[in-house]
Amino acid sequence: MISILLVDDEPLLRLGFRLVLESQPDFAVVGEAADGATAVSRTAALDPDIVVMDVRMPGMDGIQATREIVRTHPRSRVLILTTFDIDEYAFPGLKAGASGFLLKNVPPEDLISAIRTVAAGDAVVAPSVTRRLLNAMADRLPDTGRANEPPATTGRGLERLTEREREVLTKLAHGLSNAEIAEELVLSEATVKTHVGRILNKLELRDRVQAVVFAYDIGLVRPA
């Protein structure tokens, strides 16, 4: 069973999420919280596998709560689920240690799939969210000169990667799943998964979300 803590200041939304999630035989909603501080304390008390976290709440917001949960209870993984546009919230949320970022208008089946993915130790960043993140963070990327210059290939550990691993990292940073990367690079999905694991180990990153942040921080991926 995947145990889930729901965090949202709207009771009706929590009820809706509970009904959707508890329809799955492998999900158990073990608790709820209406603000960030309560989310932190209930995470410590309930030890959920997944915390589904809203962003805008009274008192401690979802970004602060995510940062505190990752610091004090790293076994519980945080999936941020918000109504609001990503520019102001997504990058801080991922930097705080969230393992995923989705908008609340995703279809129920996508939310269910995302929770299973995060619970399995992977991360979820929708391609559209990744593209928006890149554009939103354009002014923080290194100055790479001409627009047609090739991406960076060294710096902050990137030189440890093979050419194929850099290709996989680039595709990953554009928000592609393992299956999509496999199709584009004509590899098996198992091979892609192996490459992703090696990338994370070599760069000392926790998950795919940190890999995405790393890729555009270093300038490997640039906004359109």
Side-chain angles (χ1 to χ4, degrees), residues 55-115:
V55 174
R56 290 185 60 176
M57 296 179 290
M60 180 185 288
D61 66 21
I63 306 300
Q64 295 171 300
T66 296
R67 186 177 296 111
E68 188 65 13
I69 288 170
V70 170
R71 184 182 71 82
T72 61
H73 203 276
R75 197 198 76 78
S76 296
R77 298 171 69 83
V78 179
L79 173 62
I80 291 179
L81 194 65
T82 179
T83 305
F84 299 93
D85 215 355
I86 71 163
D87 295 38
E88 185 179 350
Y89 300 116
F91 189 75
L94 299 177
K95 279 286 198 181
S99 295
F101 187 99
L102 294 175
L103 298 180
K104 288 181 180 177
N105 62 0
V106 296
E109 57 269 24
D110 287 358
L111 173 60
I112 289 166
S113 175
I115 288 174

Side-chain angles (χ1 to χ4, degrees), residues 61-216:
D61 66 21
I63 306 300
Q64 295 171 300
T66 296
R67 186 177 296 111
E68 188 65 13
I69 288 170
V70 170
R71 184 182 71 82
T72 61
H73 203 276
R75 197 198 76 78
S76 296
R77 298 171 69 83
V78 179
L79 173 62
I80 291 179
L81 194 65
T82 179
T83 305
F84 299 93
D85 215 355
I86 71 163
D87 295 38
E88 185 179 350
Y89 300 116
F91 189 75
L94 299 177
K95 279 286 198 181
S99 295
F101 187 99
L102 294 175
L103 298 180
K104 288 181 180 177
N105 62 0
V106 296
E109 57 269 24
D110 287 358
L111 173 60
I112 289 166
S113 175
I115 288 174
R116 291 196 178 111
T117 298
V118 171
D122 213 330
V124 176
V125 183
S128 60
V129 171
T130 303
R131 288 192 294 270
R132 291 285 305 276
L133 279 170
L134 290 170
N135 290 327
M137 294 304 297
D139 61 340
R140 294 183 56 169
L141 291 169
D143 183 2
T144 54
R146 296 186 302 275
N148 60 354
E149 250 179 45
T153 56
T154 60
R156 287 179 52 187
L158 192 62
E159 65 278 359
R160 303 173 196 165
L161 304 183
T162 66
E163 182 178 353
R164 176 62 86 186
E165 287 166 351
R166 286 198 294 269
E167 286 181 308
V168 171
L169 176 59
T170 301
K171 299 294 184 184
L172 186 156
H174 281 295
L176 273 64
S177 67
N178 285 354
E180 291 167 334
I181 295 172
E183 182 178 356
E184 290 209 4
L185 298 182
V186 195
L187 300 170
S188 71
E189 192 170 344
T191 298
V192 172
K193 186 174 182 179
T194 298
H195 282 314
V196 171
R198 288 174 179 166
I199 290 166
L200 298 181
N201 286 334
K202 288 182 179 181
L203 299 179
E204 300 180 356
L205 302 172
R206 190 186 66 178
D207 55 33
R208 295 168 75 100
V209 171
Q210 287 196 344
V212 171
V213 173
F214 171 88
Y216 63 75

